[in-house]
mmCIF file of all heavy atoms in Angstrom:
data_model
loop_
_atom_site.group_PDB
_atom_site.id
_atom_site.type_symbol
_atom_site.label_atom_id
_atom_site.label_comp_id
_atom_site.label_asym_id
_atom_site.label_seq_id
_atom_site.Cartn_x
_atom_site.Cartn_y
_atom_site.Cartn_z
ATOM 1 N N TYR G 21 72.857 91.548 68.161
ATOM 2 C CA TYR G 21 72.636 92.490 69.260
ATOM 3 C C TYR G 21 71.928 93.722 68.715
ATOM 4 O O TYR G 21 72.401 94.355 67.770
ATOM 5 C CB TYR G 21 73.979 92.885 69.888
ATOM 6 C CG TYR G 21 73.851 93.587 71.224
ATOM 7 C CD1 TYR G 21 73.361 92.904 72.333
ATOM 8 C CD2 TYR G 21 74.239 94.913 71.385
ATOM 9 C CE1 TYR G 21 73.259 93.521 73.565
ATOM 10 C CE2 TYR G 21 74.140 95.544 72.608
ATOM 11 C CZ TYR G 21 73.647 94.849 73.697
ATOM 12 O OH TYR G 21 73.526 95.464 74.917
ATOM 13 N N LEU G 22 70.768 94.048 69.277
ATOM 14 C CA LEU G 22 69.961 95.176 68.818
ATOM 15 C C LEU G 22 69.704 96.134 69.972
ATOM 16 O O LEU G 22 69.178 95.735 71.016
ATOM 17 C CB LEU G 22 68.628 94.688 68.239
ATOM 18 C CG LEU G 22 67.647 95.758 67.766
ATOM 19 C CD1 LEU G 22 68.227 96.539 66.591
ATOM 20 C CD2 LEU G 22 66.310 95.142 67.367
ATOM 21 N N LEU G 23 70.057 97.398 69.783
ATOM 22 C CA LEU G 23 69.812 98.447 70.763
ATOM 23 C C LEU G 23 68.713 99.367 70.257
ATOM 24 O O LEU G 23 68.662 99.682 69.065
ATOM 25 C CB LEU G 23 71.084 99.268 70.997
ATOM 26 C CG LEU G 23 72.231 98.589 71.743
ATOM 27 C CD1 LEU G 23 73.477 99.453 71.674
ATOM 28 C CD2 LEU G 23 71.850 98.333 73.189
ATOM 29 N N ARG G 24 67.857 99.827 71.157
ATOM 30 C CA ARG G 24 66.796 100.765 70.785
ATOM 31 C C ARG G 24 66.692 101.850 71.842
ATOM 32 O O ARG G 24 66.714 101.576 73.044
ATOM 33 C CB ARG G 24 65.455 100.057 70.628
ATOM 34 C CG ARG G 24 64.302 101.000 70.331
ATOM 35 C CD ARG G 24 63.003 100.290 70.088
ATOM 36 N NE ARG G 24 62.989 99.595 68.817
ATOM 37 C CZ ARG G 24 61.915 98.970 68.320
ATOM 38 N NH1 ARG G 24 60.796 98.957 69.015
ATOM 39 N NH2 ARG G 24 61.978 98.362 67.165
ATOM 40 N N SER G 25 66.535 103.085 71.367
ATOM 41 C CA SER G 25 66.443 104.221 72.281
ATOM 42 C C SER G 25 65.052 104.371 72.872
ATOM 43 O O SER G 25 64.859 105.144 73.800
ATOM 44 C CB SER G 25 66.807 105.511 71.541
ATOM 45 O OG SER G 25 65.843 105.784 70.537
ATOM 46 N N GLY G 26 64.072 103.665 72.304
ATOM 47 C CA GLY G 26 62.695 103.859 72.737
ATOM 48 C C GLY G 26 62.088 105.054 72.031
ATOM 49 O O GLY G 26 62.734 105.744 71.242
ATOM 50 N N ASP G 27 60.815 105.330 72.293
ATOM 51 C CA ASP G 27 60.146 106.485 71.707
ATOM 52 C C ASP G 27 60.436 107.710 72.574
ATOM 53 O O ASP G 27 59.866 107.861 73.656
ATOM 54 C CB ASP G 27 58.637 106.243 71.606
ATOM 55 C CG ASP G 27 58.320 105.157 70.601
ATOM 56 O OD1 ASP G 27 59.013 105.101 69.571
ATOM 57 O OD2 ASP G 27 57.394 104.373 70.849
ATOM 58 N N MET G 28 61.341 108.557 72.097
ATOM 59 C CA MET G 28 61.757 109.735 72.868
ATOM 60 C C MET G 28 60.774 110.872 72.598
ATOM 61 O O MET G 28 60.806 111.501 71.537
ATOM 62 C CB MET G 28 63.177 110.137 72.463
ATOM 63 C CG MET G 28 64.198 109.058 72.729
ATOM 64 S SD MET G 28 65.845 109.461 72.086
ATOM 65 C CE MET G 28 65.568 109.323 70.312
ATOM 66 N N LEU G 29 59.891 111.101 73.544
ATOM 67 C CA LEU G 29 58.880 112.148 73.411
ATOM 68 C C LEU G 29 59.522 113.507 73.642
ATOM 69 O O LEU G 29 60.097 113.758 74.702
ATOM 70 C CB LEU G 29 57.747 111.909 74.406
ATOM 71 C CG LEU G 29 56.565 112.875 74.345
ATOM 72 C CD1 LEU G 29 55.840 112.730 73.007
ATOM 73 C CD2 LEU G 29 55.613 112.605 75.510
ATOM 74 N N TRP G 30 59.425 114.385 72.650
ATOM 75 C CA TRP G 30 60.022 115.714 72.776
ATOM 76 C C TRP G 30 59.345 116.467 73.916
ATOM 77 O O TRP G 30 58.117 116.620 73.932
ATOM 78 C CB TRP G 30 59.856 116.503 71.487
ATOM 79 C CG TRP G 30 60.636 115.955 70.330
ATOM 80 C CD1 TRP G 30 61.184 114.720 70.218
ATOM 81 C CD2 TRP G 30 60.923 116.623 69.104
ATOM 82 N NE1 TRP G 30 61.791 114.561 69.001
ATOM 83 C CE2 TRP G 30 61.651 115.725 68.289
ATOM 84 C CE3 TRP G 30 60.629 117.883 68.600
ATOM 85 C CZ2 TRP G 30 62.087 116.061 67.010
ATOM 86 C CZ3 TRP G 30 61.061 118.233 67.331
ATOM 87 C CH2 TRP G 30 61.792 117.321 66.548
ATOM 88 N N GLY G 31 60.121 116.897 74.879
ATOM 89 C CA GLY G 31 59.577 117.604 76.026
ATOM 90 C C GLY G 31 59.012 116.686 77.090
ATOM 91 O O GLY G 31 58.541 117.149 78.122
ATOM 92 N N GLY G 32 59.061 115.366 76.849
ATOM 93 C CA GLY G 32 58.534 114.415 77.821
ATOM 94 C C GLY G 32 59.598 113.966 78.802
ATOM 95 O O GLY G 32 60.748 114.408 78.771
ATOM 96 N N SER G 33 59.216 113.021 79.663
ATOM 97 C CA SER G 33 60.128 112.565 80.715
ATOM 98 C C SER G 33 61.320 111.800 80.146
ATOM 99 O O SER G 33 62.379 111.763 80.752
ATOM 100 C CB SER G 33 59.372 111.673 81.706
ATOM 101 O OG SER G 33 58.810 110.564 81.022
ATOM 102 N N SER G 34 61.154 111.193 78.957
ATOM 103 C CA SER G 34 62.240 110.402 78.393
ATOM 104 C C SER G 34 63.259 111.246 77.649
ATOM 105 O O SER G 34 64.392 110.852 77.463
ATOM 106 C CB SER G 34 61.675 109.344 77.439
ATOM 107 O OG SER G 34 60.978 109.968 76.378
ATOM 108 N N ALA G 35 62.866 112.424 77.166
ATOM 109 C CA ALA G 35 63.774 113.299 76.423
ATOM 110 C C ALA G 35 63.284 114.735 76.522
ATOM 111 O O ALA G 35 62.790 115.305 75.572
ATOM 112 C CB ALA G 35 63.868 112.870 74.974
ATOM 113 N N GLY G 36 63.416 115.283 77.700
ATOM 114 C CA GLY G 36 62.919 116.625 77.927
ATOM 115 C C GLY G 36 63.888 117.671 77.428
ATOM 116 O O GLY G 36 64.466 117.564 76.351
ATOM 117 N N GLU G 37 64.103 118.688 78.243
ATOM 118 C CA GLU G 37 64.977 119.781 77.818
ATOM 119 C C GLU G 37 66.410 119.301 77.636
ATOM 120 O O GLU G 37 67.142 119.814 76.798
ATOM 121 C CB GLU G 37 64.908 120.899 78.856
ATOM 122 C CG GLU G 37 65.698 122.137 78.470
ATOM 123 C CD GLU G 37 65.562 123.228 79.505
ATOM 124 O OE1 GLU G 37 64.807 123.024 80.478
ATOM 125 O OE2 GLU G 37 66.216 124.278 79.352
ATOM 126 N N PHE G 38 66.812 118.314 78.427
ATOM 127 C CA PHE G 38 68.166 117.774 78.331
ATOM 128 C C PHE G 38 68.091 116.290 78.013
ATOM 129 O O PHE G 38 67.067 115.645 78.188
ATOM 130 C CB PHE G 38 68.922 118.006 79.642
ATOM 131 C CG PHE G 38 68.944 119.452 80.055
ATOM 132 C CD1 PHE G 38 68.129 119.899 81.089
ATOM 133 C CD2 PHE G 38 69.750 120.355 79.395
ATOM 134 C CE1 PHE G 38 68.140 121.225 81.471
ATOM 135 C CE2 PHE G 38 69.750 121.691 79.763
ATOM 136 C CZ PHE G 38 68.947 122.128 80.798
ATOM 137 N N SER G 39 69.195 115.726 77.557
ATOM 138 C CA SER G 39 69.192 114.357 77.051
ATOM 139 C C SER G 39 69.626 113.315 78.076
ATOM 140 O O SER G 39 69.701 112.130 77.756
ATOM 141 C CB SER G 39 70.119 114.262 75.827
ATOM 142 O OG SER G 39 71.455 114.573 76.200
ATOM 143 N N LYS G 40 69.916 113.719 79.301
ATOM 144 C CA LYS G 40 70.425 112.758 80.277
ATOM 145 C C LYS G 40 69.428 111.658 80.611
ATOM 146 O O LYS G 40 69.805 110.591 81.077
ATOM 147 C CB LYS G 40 70.829 113.493 81.558
ATOM 148 C CG LYS G 40 72.005 114.430 81.392
ATOM 149 C CD LYS G 40 72.412 115.040 82.721
ATOM 150 C CE LYS G 40 71.328 115.947 83.263
ATOM 151 N NZ LYS G 40 71.759 116.606 84.529
ATOM 152 N N ALA G 41 68.131 111.911 80.386
ATOM 153 C CA ALA G 41 67.105 110.939 80.778
ATOM 154 C C ALA G 41 66.789 109.922 79.685
ATOM 155 O O ALA G 41 65.973 109.032 79.900
ATOM 156 C CB ALA G 41 65.823 111.663 81.177
ATOM 157 N N ILE G 42 67.411 110.047 78.510
ATOM 158 C CA ILE G 42 67.117 109.109 77.428
ATOM 159 C C ILE G 42 67.590 107.716 77.807
ATOM 160 O O ILE G 42 68.738 107.512 78.195
ATOM 161 C CB ILE G 42 67.790 109.559 76.115
ATOM 162 C CG1 ILE G 42 67.196 110.892 75.663
ATOM 163 C CG2 ILE G 42 67.607 108.509 75.034
ATOM 164 C CD1 ILE G 42 67.837 111.451 74.415
ATOM 165 N N ASN G 43 66.706 106.758 77.675
ATOM 166 C CA ASN G 43 66.990 105.393 78.096
ATOM 167 C C ASN G 43 67.220 104.512 76.869
ATOM 168 O O ASN G 43 66.328 104.330 76.041
ATOM 169 C CB ASN G 43 65.821 104.852 78.923
ATOM 170 C CG ASN G 43 66.160 103.535 79.589
ATOM 171 O OD1 ASN G 43 67.301 103.097 79.582
ATOM 172 N ND2 ASN G 43 65.156 102.905 80.163
ATOM 173 N N VAL G 44 68.413 103.953 76.747
ATOM 174 C CA VAL G 44 68.733 103.031 75.661
ATOM 175 C C VAL G 44 68.649 101.611 76.199
ATOM 176 O O VAL G 44 69.286 101.286 77.208
ATOM 177 C CB VAL G 44 70.132 103.310 75.083
ATOM 178 C CG1 VAL G 44 70.461 102.318 73.988
ATOM 179 C CG2 VAL G 44 70.195 104.731 74.550
ATOM 180 N N LYS G 45 67.868 100.766 75.544
ATOM 181 C CA LYS G 45 67.625 99.416 76.039
ATOM 182 C C LYS G 45 68.088 98.366 75.040
ATOM 183 O O LYS G 45 68.103 98.594 73.838
ATOM 184 C CB LYS G 45 66.130 99.210 76.320
ATOM 185 C CG LYS G 45 65.577 100.083 77.435
ATOM 186 C CD LYS G 45 64.113 99.777 77.695
ATOM 187 C CE LYS G 45 63.571 100.619 78.829
ATOM 188 N NZ LYS G 45 62.135 100.331 79.107
#
């Protein structure tokens, strides 16, 4: 089983000012 957070762009839609939008797949 492998989990990946994806490429979290600083300040982008995936990881902006807060971390609630980070998508782990």
Side-chain angles (χ1 to χ4, degrees):
Y21 194 67
L22 178 64
L23 290 170
R24 176 176 288 185
S25 66
D27 293 323
M28 299 174 289
L29 183 65
W30 293 17
S33 58
S34 61
E37 184 178 357
F38 305 105
S39 62
K40 294 184 294 183
I42 296 177
N43 190 9
V44 178
K45 295 183 178 180

